[in-house]
Amino acid sequence: MENKSIREAYGEYFKAMLANSVAAAKIDSTNVYQPANLKNKEFIDKLVSDNLDPSSYFKNMDNFVDFFNQVKSGKSGLLLLEHYSNTDLPEFIYMLEHNSDGKLTEFADKIVAVAGMKLNEANPAVRAFAESFSRVVIYPTRSLDKASEKAQSEEEKKEEEQKARKINMAAMRAMDDCKKRGQVILVFPSGTRYRPGHPETKRGLKEIDSYLRLFDIALFVSINGSVLQMQPGHEEDMLSDLCVRDKVVFTASKVIECKKYRKEFLDSLPADCEDQKQAMIDHVMEVLEKQHEETEKTRV
């Protein structure tokens, strides 16, 4: 049977989500923290449950449990996830709630994802989807670079840079508040979904080095499988993604002590390394890729 796009299979859901939508259509320094819209989450949960194979599971469950127990004890926690699909976060939250044998259920509502402002500003349907989960919204460097290229004057460019600075400073304060509340920050270090044939979309952003400096512990989580697949040539149209039934596996590294891990890696670099921050995140992406490849050998 031919797979249907989200638009074809769940068009009525998106109409309801648009009616429920309350998230801001424009981001500024006053609204960077956006709590989950639980009415819309019900529809996204249905999309995931319809297509998620029951055999989906968490690999290295003890590492997930160890991480969350350390967060409960007061440590600030950072989740670094691979990014293949618009349902990576929904699948992760859903499986915490339903596929973890009760060991991880209580942490599903503690996760706050870092998201680019494009998810709010580009398209009402995408905004309605994204607001189903708690987020701290940032102005990504890639977006600022594009805006700077389009700027008609130096003054316009500086205004955009100032806007980005204000939003990102507010986002850092919001993340600090999340840490104090015992919430966990989830980041996709590539900053975008991986597009086959475009290896640059799997390269980590050097800004992730800052996160490693700001948190006590981290967990590197690779993802195998997804209930959504991009249609080639339609990557920018989320509603063209195809719904597929799939077995999804989230694999966890051992818990990382961020400052120690970062220092040991940076100390291992040659003295003439020109970009230590990029080298750090390149290493993290290599760890994720290795986990992904090992899991894929046994997933099907």
Side-chain angles (χ1 to χ4, degrees):
M1 190 173 77
E2 185 177 349
N3 293 319
K4 293 183 177 180
S5 69
I6 302 181
R7 183 179 285 107
E8 295 169 318
Y10 295 99
E12 292 302 313
Y13 284 17
F14 275 86
K15 289 180 183 178
M17 289 166 64
L18 283 166
N20 292 335
S21 181
V22 295
K26 288 292 180 182
I27 298 299
D28 59 37
S29 60
T30 68
N31 57 16
V32 294
Y33 179 73
Q34 310 219 341
N37 180 338
L38 297 181
K39 289 183 179 180
N40 280 3
K41 181 177 178 295
E42 292 178 10
F43 293 107
I44 302 303
D45 282 350
K46 184 67 166 60
L47 184 158
V48 173
S49 65
D50 284 351
N51 297 284
L52 187 71
D53 192 281
S55 62
S56 300
Y57 68 98
F58 291 101
K59 184 178 178 181
N60 300 340
M61 174 69 83
D62 289 348
N63 294 344
F64 284 104
V65 173
D66 182 25
F67 174 82
F68 284 124
N69 281 342
Q70 290 193 47
V71 171
K72 283 175 68 174
S73 75
K75 292 185 178 181
S76 58
L78 173 69
L79 292 164
L80 294 177
L81 271 69
E82 286 191 295
H83 200 10
Y84 290 93
S85 163
N86 283 316
T87 48
D88 290 336
L89 176 62
E91 289 162 4
F92 188 59
I93 300 293
Y94 183 89
M95 286 175 59
L96 286 174
E97 294 172 338
H98 298 91
N99 290 58
S100 64
D101 300 326
K103 295 178 181 178
L104 305 173
T105 306
E106 68 178 290
F107 290 98
D109 64 353
K110 292 185 181 295
I111 292 175
V112 179
V114 173
M117 55 195 283
K118 179 181 176 181
L119 294 180
N120 274 68
E121 297 188 352
N123 182 299
V126 174
R127 179 167 65 249
F129 185 106
E131 72 183 89
S132 304
F133 304 93
S134 295
R135 292 162 297 133
V136 170
V137 183
I138 63 169
Y139 195 135
T141 300
R142 283 174 178 161
S143 297
L144 180 58
D145 290 342
K146 291 179 181 178
S148 296
E149 290 172 5
K150 293 179 181 178
Q152 298 298 309
S153 66
E154 195 64 28
E155 183 179 353
E156 186 178 328
K157 181 179 178 181
K158 287 181 178 178
E159 286 179 0
E160 202 66 25
E161 290 172 350
Q162 186 176 29
K163 175 184 175 182
R165 192 178 305 112
K166 287 182 178 179
I167 288 173
N168 288 338
M169 287 179 65
M172 295 307 290
R173 290 193 293 270
M175 277 187 259
D176 193 51
D177 290 340
C178 290
K179 287 158 64 175
K180 292 174 182 176
R181 292 192 293 263
Q183 292 172 296
V184 174
I185 297 296
L186 183 153
V187 179
F188 296 112
S190 64
T192 187
R193 294 176 294 164
Y194 173 59
R195 292 155 174 75
H198 296 274
E200 71 278 5
T201 60
K202 211 170 193 178
R203 193 179 193 206
L205 301 173
K206 68 170 65 179
E207 292 90 336
I208 302 303
D209 180 67
S210 299
Y211 290 87
L212 290 172
R213 290 190 288 106
L214 294 171
F215 286 81
D216 296 324
I217 58 173
L219 203 65
F220 302 162
V221 182
S222 53
I223 306 172
N224 294 73
S226 175
V227 302
L228 283 187
Q229 291 182 0
M230 285 184 282
Q231 285 201 63
H234 298 274
E235 291 87 353
E236 299 304 317
D237 179 12
M238 189 194 79
L239 298 185
S240 289
D241 287 358
L242 298 175
C243 302
V244 296
R245 189 169 185 82
D246 203 2
K247 177 179 181 177
V248 178
V249 183
F250 289 94
T251 304
S253 69
K254 290 187 178 298
V255 177
I256 302 297
E257 294 181 29
C258 292
K259 293 177 179 62
K260 179 182 177 183
Y261 187 85
R262 180 176 178 274
K263 183 179 185 305
E264 288 180 351
F265 177 76
L266 294 180
D267 287 348
S268 74
L269 293 173
D272 60 351
C273 178
E274 295 182 357
D275 194 339
Q276 292 188 341
K277 291 182 178 182
Q278 189 63 54
M280 181 73 252
I281 187 54
D282 287 347
H283 174 67
V284 171
M285 299 306 288
E286 288 169 6
V287 173
L288 287 169
E289 181 69 16
K290 184 176 180 180
Q291 281 184 190
H292 182 98
E293 291 175 352
E294 286 299 313
T295 297
E296 193 62 24
K297 293 175 183 177
T298 58
R299 181 171 70 97
V300 179

